[in-house]
Amino acid sequence: MISFRSLFLACVLCGAAAFALNGPRAAAQEGPPQPPPTAGQGNPVDKLTPADIAMGKELFAANCASCHGPDGSGQLGPNLHGVVQRLGEQGVFAIVRGGRGAMPPISSINDARVWQVIGYVRTLGGAGAEEKAPGDPVKGKEVYAANGCATCHSIDGVGGTVGPQLTVIGRERAPSYLHSFLLDPGKNPPSDATLPERAGNTGYLLVHVVTKDGKDFTGIRVNEDTFTIELRDVGGHFYSFDKSQLRTIEREPGKTVMPSYTNLSADDLENLVAYLSSLKGAQ
Ligand code: HEC
Ligand code: HEC
């Protein structure tokens, strides 16, 4: 994002040909904060004491475990075992501060604390612990096709739009999370920290409204402002309401139009989870 100030600055600099190259650099400094120049050479994590690592563990429990699981082996977010070894300390720092995909930027802890967390995550060690889905993804793809998932979800652009895209779901969610989610989608809905009104859960907020003349509608909220609310039902129909014409508006966080798939056999469920886990997009 280029602010007026940086454009102005860039223009001033452009005035003097010798400084022309500094223009874009000046603008870049206005961007999101970069990882701090870490104290001298070397790696801030190497300087941590055992007490720092212990602190990092507590901070992890408070700031990361809700998504990455208490032992970091993944849940709503992916397994983090081996991630520091794979992405490097700076790489992990950048993800924590900048967020990525379904992970929001974490700004509740200062830099020193982030390094402590990374120090702890590094102790989780190599990728060996990554949870593997035991099922067969090829059979799972058939289960997906046979159960109408595509009426609501799309993969690589094919399918419905009632629910979220699943194109990279295997990168974002651990198999154990997918498994329990399919059995009880309302219990542990996916979270998106940018939506505080739904306690951080996704934009798929289910709303039930009753009009003054007694008709009721349930759908996923598409839009809402002070005066109007727009819903989309499972059939894909849009409804727009003037709030003054509504008797009640009930928001139902924790409820979802996604059915529970308790009717699947244990094998089908495992294969389906294996298929979903294999969806990682082109990387
Ligand atoms: C609200 C849930 C949530 C919280 C809280 C959260 N994460 Fe994440 N994290 C995710 C999700 C989801 C992804 C996968 C993002 C993607 O690739 O699209 C992710 C990805 C990551 C990755 C990249 C993993 C990889 O294999 O590339 C790292 C590293 C990471 N998180 C570290 C952390 C740390 C450390 C914390 C705590 C300071 C934290 N996260 C807090 C949800 C969360
Ligand atoms: C009637 C529509 C509908 C059908 C059918 C449906 N889903 Fe969903 N699904 C949703 C909605 C809506 C959500 C978002 C959950 C929420 O926040 O309400 C969702 C969420 C999900 C998620 C979690 C996404 C995330 O970001 O964590 C997965 C995984 C998923 N569905 C898989 C499936 C599979 C597999 C099937 C078929 C066996 C299926 N769904 C069938 C509507 C549907």
Side-chain angles (χ1 to χ4, degrees), residues 141 144 150 153-160 164-169 275 278-283:
K141 190 171 182 179
Y144 184 89
H153 293 283
S154 70
I155 293 174
D156 292 329
V158 181
Q165 286 190 45
L166 300 178
T167 307
V168 297
I169 194 72
Y275 172 59
S278 74
L279 300 173
K280 304 207 165 171
Q283 261 187 327

Side-chain angles (χ1 to χ4, degrees), residues 57-222:
K57 185 174 182 183
E58 280 177 35
L59 292 163
F60 185 89
N63 295 280
C64 321
S66 58
C67 292
H68 291 284
D71 59 354
S73 66
Q75 231 169 42
L76 192 53
N79 172 31
L80 295 180
H81 291 248
V83 77
V84 178
Q85 288 77 0
R86 184 158 50 82
L87 301 176
E89 286 80 358
Q90 300 285 350
V92 173
F93 188 99
I95 291 173
V96 171
R97 278 295 187 241
R100 204 181 80 186
M103 172 167 157
I106 308 288
S107 52
S108 50
I109 49 179
N110 68 24
D111 288 355
R113 300 246 182 265
V114 173
W115 291 120
Q116 288 170 328
V117 172
I118 294 172
Y120 165 68
V121 173
R122 193 167 76 172
T123 66
L124 297 176
E130 177 160 19
E131 190 194 339
K132 289 265 185 307
D136 175 348
V138 177
K139 288 190 184 144
K141 190 171 182 179
E142 290 163 17
V143 178
Y144 184 89
N147 284 278
C149 313
T151 45
C152 294
H153 293 283
S154 70
I155 293 174
D156 292 329
V158 181
T161 54
V162 173
Q165 286 190 45
L166 300 178
T167 307
V168 297
I169 194 72
R171 195 174 81 200
E172 294 178 345
R173 315 290 187 217
S176 53
Y177 169 83
L178 293 170
H179 190 274
S180 55
F181 182 84
L182 289 166
L183 294 175
D184 190 358
K187 195 167 148 209
N188 187 10
S191 81
D192 179 338
T194 59
L195 294 160
E197 83 279 16
R198 204 191 158 182
N201 292 329
T202 61
Y204 299 89
L205 177 65
L206 208 59
V207 177
H208 176 222
V209 301
V210 181
T211 60
K212 283 197 169 145
D213 53 4
K215 298 197 181 94
D216 62 355
F217 298 85
T218 299
I220 291 168
R221 181 181 62 181
V222 184

